[in-house]
């Protein structure tokens, strides 16, 4: 794992943007996360697009997950969130037809999961990830299979509490079920770029980087991926035993 520990979230976001623009092969598929963590990164991609330095025109984008049963026009429907961040000439050049999200409104969510797995099969070049305070990536919550493919997931109470801030701070408005790429689906991406900021992510990041691989901390599966870059701020890195060592390695690679 390549681990960057930045003093602040803003500096971490700038590092993540640089890594993405250097390493994502334009024209290929970009795996995109939702939640608050990657929003600054999407700002940077829009800025770079406006400056003519980066484009998602000709590329496709695949979401990690989608709430089941959320209204088609709900602002927190992940398809709508990602379209608002990325789609259009005034954003990153991504075309709406090239944005793929699991169909959370399908009559058969199980079929929608199978369809999404098939759609993503040609492969993601670079997958952007955030992480839940309980260690989930995508919406793969603790206790799920480390070998899962796209499936119906049940959100934990912790995740619904964490996400209530997007739903008027009312946990009852947070959907209970989702469609999510499985851990094996995520692991099929060629490259992974995981971002984690803030003290609420510190325990999960301790587990992901220094813990044992375990279904209890789903993000730990990334230890088996050959090409992972992790960008943290100091708060998210606070529990790492070898933080100074990771900083030395990162600096030696980026001289
Ligand atoms: C989002 C996703 C989740 C989030 C995680 C962190 O598509 O799959 O794994 O990355 O819940 O969310 P934030 O960034 O809001 O803390």
């Amino acid at each position: 794992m390549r681990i960057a520990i930045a003093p602040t979230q803003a500096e971490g976001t700038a590092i993540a943007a640089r890594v993405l623009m250097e390493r994502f092969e334009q024209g290929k598929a970009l795996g995109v996360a939702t939640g608050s963590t990657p929003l600054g990164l999407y700002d940077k991609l829009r800025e770079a697009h406006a400056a003519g330095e980066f484009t998602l025109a000709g590329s496709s984008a695949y979401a990690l997950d989608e709430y089941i049963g959320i209204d088609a026009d709900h602002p927190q429907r992940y398809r709508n969130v990602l379209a608002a961040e990325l789609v259009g000439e005034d954003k990153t050049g991504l075309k709406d037809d090239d944005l793929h999200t699991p169909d959370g409104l399908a009559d058969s969510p199980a079929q929608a999961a199978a369809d999404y797995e098939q759609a993503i099969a040609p492969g993601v070049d670079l997958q952007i990830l955030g992480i839940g305070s309980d260690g989930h990536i995508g919406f793969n919550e603790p206790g799920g299979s480390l070998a899962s493919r796209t499936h119906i997931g049940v959100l934990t109470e912790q995740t619904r509490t964490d996400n209530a801030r997007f739903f008027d701070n009312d946990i009852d408005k947070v959907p209970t079920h989702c469609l999510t790429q499985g851990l094996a689906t995520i692991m099929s991406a060629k490259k992974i770029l995981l971002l984690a900021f803030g003290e609420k992510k510190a325990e999960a990041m301790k587990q992901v980087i220094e813990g044992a691989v375990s279904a209890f901390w789903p993000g730990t599966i990334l230890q088996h991926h050959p090409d992972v870059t992790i960008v943290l701020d100091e708060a998210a890195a606070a529990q790492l035993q070898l933080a100074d060592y990771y900083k030395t390695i990162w600096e030696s690679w980026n001289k």
Side-chain angles (χ1 to χ4, degrees), residues 135-208:
H136 69 230
I137 52 174
F139 274 140
N140 292 277
E141 298 283 31
S145 165
L146 293 176
S148 59
R149 293 281 166 181
T150 304
H151 61 279
I152 299 169
V154 181
L155 301 181
T156 59
E157 190 80 3
Q158 176 71 59
T159 297
R160 293 183 66 231
T161 304
D162 288 347
N163 285 8
R165 68 192 195 281
F166 298 118
F167 292 87
D168 307 325
N169 287 313
D170 181 354
I171 189 174
D172 294 331
K173 291 187 183 166
V174 183
T176 54
H177 288 66
C178 63
L179 287 168
T180 180
Q181 286 190 36
L183 292 173
T185 319
I186 293 170
M187 290 288 284
S188 301
K190 267 204 199 143
K191 302 159 211 157
I192 305 264
L193 175 60
L194 169 64
L195 283 63
F197 303 124
E199 63 183 347
K200 278 175 79 178
K201 307 297 172 70
E203 190 183 5
M205 291 318 300
K206 160 91 184 147
Q207 297 295 335
V208 165

Side-chain angles (χ1 to χ4, degrees), residues 12 105 132 200 204 229 241:
L105 294 169
K200 278 175 79 178
T229 305
Q241 204 174 321

Side-chain angles (χ1 to χ4, degrees), residues 131-136 140-143 146 183 203-205 207-208 211-222:
I131 189 161
S133 59
D134 64 1
H136 69 230
N140 292 277
E141 298 283 31
L146 293 176
L183 292 173
E203 190 183 5
M205 291 318 300
Q207 297 295 335
V208 165
V213 175
S214 150
F216 193 73
W217 291 99
T220 58
I221 189 70
L222 297 174

